[in-house]
């Protein structure tokens, strides 16, 4: 499970590097664009943009820009995902809004994406990058902050029901229904509404769902997407 948490932390750290490069050079390395999930799994991009301006509005919202406004519109509207620096995966919020109901409306620009053959989720937050300490940026709010202050939230992409779900305590309890032991442990915790508890049990859910190779309740993403 910690593999997924490490990947999220790496995403945040790499976005910091990208922001520094943008501030220094007003451009980034090539950005690869994907039109389908099949292309994403096969690592076969549909298009590449050479040295675009990568504008990081906050650690979880990125714009990929060129000098041509029409190209900019095409990038956000015509592609599912993009990769930066060969390792940062970003999903288009416009793709999610067009294809999924629920909380996709809360997302803007390209947002960090973590996925495998079974599950996918986005990470989003509204806090200004400049108001965050290094520790907060990498790991979320400090332990002393108590409750989730909105800095970082998880958005589960439910391909089966065509929904994007912001992971709240209620949503998490629903996701854990298929794993009764996790659900009972989560709901029995005194601090179940705290962001670090939500994160811990959501990533436990991701790990369990990812390992369910023969579970018909967890089909593969490519069996569910319409391409």
């Amino acid at each position: 499970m910690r593999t997924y948490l490490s990947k999220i932390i790496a995403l945040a750290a790499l976005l910091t590097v990208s922001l520094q490069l943008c501030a220094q050079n007003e451009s980034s390395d090539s950005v690869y664009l994907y039109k389908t999930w099949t292309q994403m799994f096969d690592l076969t991009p549909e298009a590449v943009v050479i040295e675009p301006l990568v504008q990081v509005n906050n650690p979880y919202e990125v714009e990929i820009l060129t000098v041509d406004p029409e190209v900019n519109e095409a990038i956000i509207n015509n592609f599912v995902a993009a990769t930066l620096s060969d390792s940062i995966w970003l999903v288009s919020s416009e793709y999610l809004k067009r294809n999924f109901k629920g909380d996709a409306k809360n997302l803007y620009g390209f947002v960090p994406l973590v996925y495998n053959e079974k599950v996918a989720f986005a990470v989003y937050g509204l806090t200004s990058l400049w108001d965050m300490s290094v520790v907060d940026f990498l790991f979320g709010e400090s332990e002393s902050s108590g409750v989730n202050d909105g800095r970082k939230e998880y958005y589960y992409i439910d391909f089966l029901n065509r929904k994007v779900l912001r992971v709240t305590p209620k949503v998490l309890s629903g996701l854990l229904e298929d794993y009764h032991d996790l659900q009972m442990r989560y709901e029995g915790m005194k601090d179940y509404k705290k962001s670090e508890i939500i994160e811990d049990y959501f990533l436990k859910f991701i790990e369990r769902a990812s390992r369910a190779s023969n579970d018909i309740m967890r089909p593969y993403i490519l069996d569910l997407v319409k391409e």
Side-chain angles (χ1 to χ4, degrees):
M1 182 272 291
R2 289 299 173 187
T3 300
Y4 296 100
L5 181 56
S6 298
K7 191 168 185 178
I8 295 164
I9 293 171
L11 280 169
L14 285 169
L15 277 173
T16 306
V17 173
S18 297
L19 178 63
Q20 292 171 344
L21 290 174
C22 290
Q24 293 171 5
N25 304 320
E26 296 186 349
S27 65
S28 179
D29 293 335
S30 300
V31 172
Y32 294 90
L33 301 170
Y34 301 79
K35 271 195 172 181
T36 68
W37 284 88
T38 299
Q39 290 177 350
M40 294 163 63
F41 281 107
D42 291 342
L43 298 178
T44 54
E46 177 80 14
V48 59
V49 183
I50 306 298
E51 294 188 348
L53 170 64
V54 177
Q55 180 172 307
V56 182
N57 296 328
N58 66 54
Y60 314 104
E61 182 183 319
V62 174
E63 292 183 69
I64 300 169
L65 304 172
T66 70
V67 296
D68 189 332
E70 292 186 3
V71 172
N72 297 341
E73 288 293 320
I75 289 173
I76 188 65
N77 289 311
N78 297 346
F79 293 93
V80 175
T83 51
L84 305 178
S85 304
D86 299 325
S87 54
I88 303 173
W89 279 95
L90 304 169
V91 64
S92 165
S93 62
E94 294 303 317
Y95 159 77
L96 294 176
K97 290 172 185 176
R98 285 196 308 270
N99 292 277
F100 297 86
K101 299 179 181 179
D103 296 315
K105 61 182 180 294
N106 298 338
L107 308 177
Y108 296 92
F110 281 90
V111 300
L113 172 72
V114 179
Y115 73 97
N116 61 30
E117 290 83 356
K118 288 275 189 174
V119 292
F121 62 91
V123 188
Y124 196 69
L126 298 177
T127 299
S128 168
L129 176 69
W130 314 115
D131 294 334
M132 301 176 72
S133 69
V134 172
V135 172
D136 285 342
F137 181 77
L138 292 177
F139 301 103
E141 64 274 13
S142 63
E143 293 182 0
S144 62
S145 64
V147 298
N148 187 346
D149 59 6
R151 287 181 175 177
K152 180 177 66 180
E153 294 182 315
Y154 296 98
Y155 285 77
Y156 177 65
I157 304 174
D158 183 347
F159 292 90
L160 186 62
N161 297 301
R162 309 302 296 177
K163 291 182 178 180
V164 171
L165 302 172
R166 183 172 67 89
V167 181
T168 63
K170 181 178 179 180
V171 166
L172 181 55
S173 292
L175 292 175
L176 293 175
E177 284 181 355
D178 292 334
Y179 309 107
H180 190 62
D181 61 319
L182 290 179
Q183 184 186 44
M184 293 297 291
R185 284 160 55 192
Y186 171 66
E187 293 180 350
M189 299 196 69
K190 178 181 178 181
D191 297 327
Y192 72 97
K193 291 185 178 181
K194 285 189 175 182
S195 59
E196 60 266 30
I197 302 300
I198 293 173
E199 176 180 75
D200 188 30
Y201 276 86
F202 176 63
L203 295 178
K204 283 182 168 70
F205 159 77
I206 292 295
E207 179 198 26
R208 191 76 64 90
S210 299
R211 289 193 284 109
S213 58
N214 298 318
D215 186 351
I216 62 173
M217 297 302 293
R218 298 289 170 196
Y220 290 95
I221 289 175
L222 290 184
D223 292 334
L224 297 173
V225 294
K226 299 176 182 179
E227 300 181 339

